Amino acid sequence: MDPPPSPQTPLPPPLKGLGERAWERGQGGWGGYTYLKHSREANAQTALQQVRPQLNRPDQAPEAIKKLDALIQDYPSTKAAQVARLFKANLLYQNGKYADAAKTYEELRSAMGNQDPYGWDHFVTESLSYCYEAQGDYAKAAQTLKPLVDRVSGNYRTVLLSRLALLYDKAGNRPEADMVYQRLLSQTKNPALASYWKERLATSPKKEQPAPGLKKGPQWGP
């Protein structure tokens, strides 16, 4: 019987190469995964390019949406699929399918998570609020738009604040609308805009004041 190999005894060739072969197989597996990932992305991008010519053809919108759906289903985790969701939502909105467009924008936000590699967050949030507004849900449109206001600055913030005030107005929430109008007045240097917002504030219903000598609320006793 052969003695067990000592630390000084060279290992037989099959055992000596075991670690190297395992490492090579691991590298090969990683390389295969990377290749597959890039291949899927390339295929998804090719499918996206094929549908692009139909995006500006209103008569071909239904067919374009079908192709975008197929791309999203076949390549769900690719960057091309996120672009496809954006195109699909836009087409649905243009064709008056506001509820479906809102659902697609919500799916896109979910797919993006905390990652925003294309800087789409502002556009998607504002577009989603337009979908709710088009459905007559002004309160939800305002709720969607409000968090975006403080994430932007300059003229863009002024535009969003103006729209937010209008949405509150349409929703019948004059107290919130008036607060936004006051905020706009404190920030603007444009006399024309200031005049308009002052007019809007002037139309706000006045709170009823109790008659002189009377206390507000229920009265007890004679």
Side-chain angles (χ1 to χ4, degrees):
M1 180 182 235
D2 294 332
S6 66
Q8 292 79 24
T9 304
L11 290 173
L15 294 179
K16 181 179 180 182
L18 183 62
E20 288 87 340
R21 288 198 300 274
W23 183 85
E24 288 170 358
R25 283 198 298 271
Q27 288 295 99
W30 177 256
Y33 168 78
T34 303
Y35 172 80
L36 180 61
K37 183 177 180 181
H38 284 294
S39 178
R40 287 178 59 79
E41 185 66 53
N43 290 338
Q45 291 290 347
T46 298
L48 186 63
Q49 290 301 323
Q50 290 174 350
V51 76
R52 278 181 182 272
Q54 296 178 298
L55 298 178
N56 295 321
R57 300 281 300 274
D59 59 314
Q60 296 186 16
E63 183 63 25
I65 290 172
K66 287 181 182 179
K67 291 181 179 180
L68 292 170
D69 276 334
L71 191 160
I72 294 166
Q73 183 175 355
D74 293 342
Y75 308 101
S77 60
T78 61
K79 295 177 181 178
Q82 292 197 17
V83 179
R85 288 187 179 94
L86 187 66
F87 287 159
K88 176 187 173 183
N90 188 42
L91 284 175
L92 289 168
Y93 183 88
Q94 290 177 2
N95 284 271
K97 297 181 178 181
Y98 306 122
D100 290 338
K103 181 180 178 182
T104 305
Y105 278 124
E106 289 167 351
E107 290 173 352
L108 178 57
R109 293 176 84 185
S110 177
M112 288 167 53
N114 295 325
Q115 303 296 322
D116 188 18
Y118 301 109
W120 289 350
D121 175 65
H122 297 171
F123 175 79
V124 171
T125 301
E126 191 176 0
S127 297
L128 185 57
S129 74
Y130 274 112
C131 292
Y132 294 136
E133 181 181 8
Q135 295 176 79
D137 194 342
Y138 305 117
K140 193 168 185 179
Q143 181 184 6
T144 301
L145 189 65
K146 185 178 180 180
L148 179 59
V149 170
D150 292 321
R151 299 205 300 268
V152 300
S153 59
N155 291 334
Y156 187 32
R157 175 182 286 180
T158 301
V159 170
L160 293 186
L161 281 170
S162 299
R163 184 160 170 262
L164 182 62
L166 180 61
L167 288 171
Y168 280 134
D169 229 340
K170 287 183 175 181
N173 191 342
R174 281 310 299 259
E176 288 291 343
D178 289 349
M179 287 177 61
V180 179
Y181 286 132
Q182 292 284 7
R183 182 176 175 182
L184 283 163
L185 281 170
S186 69
Q187 295 179 1
T188 187
K189 297 180 181 179
N190 187 316
L193 290 176
S195 176
Y196 170 75
W197 293 324
K198 286 179 181 178
E199 288 178 7
R200 295 304 305 160
L201 282 169
T203 65
S204 182
K206 304 299 182 183
K207 294 182 179 179
E208 293 184 5
Q209 299 294 329
L214 294 179
K215 294 182 179 180
K216 209 173 176 183
Q219 302 294 312
W220 303 99

